[in-house]
Amino acid sequence: MKDINIRFNVGNVKFGYILVKGVAVKKVYDKIKEEEALLKEVRENFSAEKHAEDKIINSFRSLYRSFGMDPTKDRISCEALLKRIIKAENMWSVNNVVDNLNLISAKYRLPISYVDMSTVKGDIVVRKTREDEKFIKIGGEVKKCKGGEISVCDDEKIIDFGFATSDSDQTKVTENTKELLILIYATGDIEDSYLAKAMDDSKSLLKKITSFELVKEGIVKSELKENVTEKKAALDVSQQKTETKKQTLGLTVKRDEDFSEWYTQVIQKSDMADYTAVSGCIVYKPYSYEIWEKIMAFFNEKIKKSGVRNAYFPLLIPESLLMKEQTHVQGFAPEVAWVTHGGDTKLGERLAVRPTSETIMYDSYSKWVRSHNDLPLRINQWNSVVRWEFKHATPFLRGREFLWQEGHTVFATKEEAEAEVLEILEYYASIYEELLAVPVIRGKKTENEKFAGAEYSTTCETFLPVGKAIQGCTSHHLGQTFAKAFEISFLDKNGEKKYGWQNSWGYTTRSLGVMIIMHGDDKGLVLPPKIAPIHAVIVPIIFDKTKDAVLKAAQDMKKALSKYSVYLDDREGYTPGWKFNEWELKGVPIRIELGPRDIENSQVVLVRRDTSEKITVNISDIGKSVGELLKDIQKNLFNKAKKQMDDITVRIKTKEEFMKAVEEKRWILAPFCGDSEKETKIKDDTGYKTNCIPFKQSKKLGKCFCCGNDAKFEVFFGRSF
């Protein structure tokens, strides 16, 4: 797609440039004379407001679709925003458009920008904020600047704050994002010399992706190469970055200072995952897949004892099947990836790449269920699903393809179905708490947050030490909605036709990301023993004279620990210190240090990964000592995580207390009236959404914190992944 660079003037609202792939905003509207002819043509051809509106919206549709995105999908519809802007109903809503475009820019590392020039007073500049400045966020909330943040400003106010205007990890300006930020917005005089240098450096950086040239009035334009060449160049840059990271073993950032970079380094350097040429799709390397296999084995044992059987259904789902239950399909339609051709032949019907399997499975269920004797029907499958999401992809936590299990069941009565919902939810809670050492809150989703097509949804939620809540799993009661849509009916004992009562439940590889964040530290992973691929690593301290004796003792020790997963690191060419750092990075629960002096004294040093404590034990007691230590590490990790979660959780009663807790980034438990519109407004105004209605409720709920009406329940609010 060619660059779009068109100005619009509709009514009293002046629009700047709609800019795509590599065009940076430079100077203000009236100073660019070269495009007067184009502007005149636009005015003549689209003088009617409706035509101009269509032109603008079509431009944004093209922009979104060029990145494989749906313009009607996001926190708020891009098209709806543009219509509001055109009609001047809410000028600050332009920042939502900036949000959307900047998130694409952050994702693809390409400069994309949109500026409403009617709000600009003077030249746009990039500079540091001052502590006395304020930034008006969406909804009119005033955010005070801390001073020192890089912002896009004009003579009177801050236009855009950081790399993205939302309170996300992308807001923080890093060395990489700073360069792109400047290229996107920089005009006028750059106040700090390092910003000027960064702008020069960014030109060199981005030439690796597209070919840039400077033209009159300082506008930076790009002449895009063919798609294949562009993708290859971007991939080359990605591979170069990957190789650079591999050269450094340890982490170069701290979790609390730059979480996004910390997380990226941890999953790559610990050998958990790797990126691919397909955006949002990762390689689950053996080290992470072995953890997933342990989870699979644990859950399979639980559900098989309960009577659930495993099966497998097709990856591709005919469009006609997917459309059978409208509430369900509306929830998934924007995320569906479609197969339209077989080779060069266009298919007669589009096939959806499995976003979830209700429709394909229930088509079969309608054939299999005839009598009450066929029930209950309880089937689970382990597979991958594809959801072409538009949010920032994060390995394990949010991807376009991920691994999960999905259970789909049919019962003769509602009571049986509802009992299973809670049964499965408790199995999920056991995975988190018993295996992953992650405490969770069991509860129910609000109407706004429940699964599309469900009667109600239950969930396990937790709060991570980076200040965000996360949904760990869901177990849904579907009622009879799908049964009626797919004609899943049976004859009861009296020969009467009845519809089945259904559930669906799922647990994903997101749990691995939850575990990484919950327990990880500035050295890397910290793995709970019950899911660790390696329980202990033996690192022999080798000297030339005692090499043979130490290695023999190490091999004997490995045999003595055969009931555990133990790795003997006898690699040559690496120092013991280098090995210590590597195994700490990979999160192995116990490191066993064995040297010639230890052999002389019949002892060995055990080092705990969770606390770094060193413990000296007799070699003869090694089996018992390792077993007890693994149990203690598992328990300690859970208790530490539970304390962190309890300490960050706050119970509030008033709106003032709520806002204070939001500023402190706490997990909030609040009495709430349950009004859906109020719930949406809280989310829009603060970024805090409802996580779940916990099953354990206070006896006295009191009044709703936001409106003063009687509260229906307590609900957890938090920023979420």
Side-chain angles (χ1 to χ4, degrees), residues 215-278:
V215 295
K216 193 174 180 181
E217 292 295 334
I219 297 180
V220 183
K221 289 189 176 180
S222 70
E223 298 300 325
L224 294 178
K225 299 179 180 179
E226 293 296 325
N227 254 359
V228 175
T229 306
E230 180 183 344
K231 289 181 178 179
K232 183 180 183 301
L235 183 58
D236 289 342
V237 173
S238 175
Q239 289 172 341
Q240 289 171 14
K241 290 180 179 179
T242 300
E243 289 303 316
T244 301
K245 287 180 179 179
K246 286 182 178 178
Q247 292 172 9
T248 305
L249 173 64
L251 305 184
T252 61
V253 295
K254 294 182 178 180
R255 185 181 69 179
D256 295 340
E257 294 178 0
D258 190 342
F259 167 71
S260 294
E261 180 62 21
W262 172 86
Y263 186 79
T264 299
Q265 289 192 24
V266 166
I267 64 169
Q268 287 188 286
K269 293 185 176 184
S270 66
D271 222 25
M272 291 280 281
D274 198 7
Y275 295 93
T276 70
V278 183

Side-chain angles (χ1 to χ4, degrees), residues 535-643:
H535 293 125
V537 57
I538 302 171
V539 181
I541 314 300
I542 297 175
F543 301 96
D544 289 340
K545 293 182 179 180
T546 55
K547 176 179 179 180
D548 293 341
V550 171
L551 286 177
K552 184 180 184 307
Q555 290 164 355
D556 291 341
M557 186 172 293
K558 182 180 179 182
K559 291 179 182 178
L561 295 170
S562 59
K563 66 182 294 186
Y564 306 106
S565 175
V566 178
Y567 181 80
L568 171 57
D569 191 351
D570 56 0
R571 294 174 295 171
E572 297 183 0
Y574 297 91
T575 65
W578 195 95
K579 293 177 181 179
F580 293 169
N581 290 333
E582 180 183 20
W583 295 111
E584 283 182 336
L585 177 61
K586 293 174 78 70
V588 174
I590 298 175
R591 184 174 75 243
I592 302 173
E593 300 175 4
L594 180 66
R597 287 188 181 180
D598 297 312
I599 296 174
E600 289 177 7
N601 297 323
S602 298
Q603 64 184 27
V604 67
V605 176
L606 307 182
V607 184
R608 296 175 59 141
R609 177 62 183 89
D610 60 333
T611 64
S612 299
E613 179 186 1
K614 291 190 174 185
I615 304 166
T616 302
V617 302
N618 290 329
I619 290 180
S620 59
D621 294 332
I622 188 67
K624 179 182 178 182
S625 298
V626 166
E628 291 176 350
L629 195 56
L630 289 172
K631 291 180 182 178
D632 193 62
I633 292 171
Q634 184 81 26
K635 181 179 178 181
N636 179 59
L637 286 175
F638 178 82
N639 290 340
K640 180 182 177 183
K642 181 70 164 61
K643 185 178 186 304

Side-chain angles (χ1 to χ4, degrees), residues 327-507:
T327 305
H328 172 77
V329 75
Q330 286 171 10
F332 281 101
E335 300 175 354
V336 175
W338 295 98
V339 175
T340 59
H341 287 73
D344 294 328
T345 304
K346 186 174 181 179
L347 301 178
E349 180 180 13
R350 291 196 302 176
L351 300 175
V353 182
R354 177 173 53 215
T356 182
S357 296
E358 277 83 354
T359 55
I360 191 72
M361 293 177 74
Y362 299 167
D363 183 56
S364 293
Y365 285 13
S366 66
K367 305 169 190 174
W368 299 348
V369 176
R370 288 288 180 267
S371 162
H372 65 90
N373 293 318
D374 298 325
L375 299 176
L377 177 61
R378 305 176 71 195
I379 292 178
N380 175 69
Q381 64 171 346
W382 296 91
N383 54 29
S384 71
V385 293
V386 173
R387 296 180 183 175
W388 217 252
E389 299 200 51
F390 317 119
K391 297 179 182 178
H392 183 65
T394 305
F396 299 120
L397 297 175
R398 182 182 294 281
R400 286 180 169 174
E401 181 186 18
F402 55 88
L403 306 179
W404 76 345
Q405 57 72 215
E406 51 178 320
H408 297 274
T409 56
V410 187
F411 293 88
T413 67
K414 184 176 183 179
E415 291 75 20
E416 291 176 285
E418 290 189 310
E420 187 203 55
V421 169
L422 298 181
E423 175 194 357
I424 299 297
L425 191 72
E426 197 56 38
Y427 294 160
Y428 290 153
S430 296
I431 296 174
Y432 275 107
E433 297 186 337
E434 293 180 29
L435 294 190
L436 302 178
V438 172
V440 294
I441 299 294
R442 301 146 174 87
K444 186 178 178 181
K445 288 289 187 181
T446 62
E447 285 297 304
N448 279 12
E449 296 294 328
K450 74 176 183 180
F451 176 68
E455 192 168 303
Y456 62 82
S457 297
T458 65
T459 179
C460 288
E461 306 275 333
T462 193
F463 198 82
L464 298 172
V466 292
K468 290 185 178 181
I470 193 164
Q471 175 182 290
C473 59
T474 46
S475 182
H476 313 286
H477 177 55
L478 304 180
Q480 294 180 310
T481 303
F482 285 94
K484 291 177 180 178
F486 285 84
E487 197 59 33
I488 303 174
S489 61
F490 63 96
L491 297 178
D492 66 9
K493 293 179 180 179
N494 299 319
E496 294 183 11
K497 178 183 175 179
K498 302 286 185 181
Y499 285 102
W501 295 87
Q502 292 183 261
N503 297 330
S504 70
W505 24 272
Y507 181 97

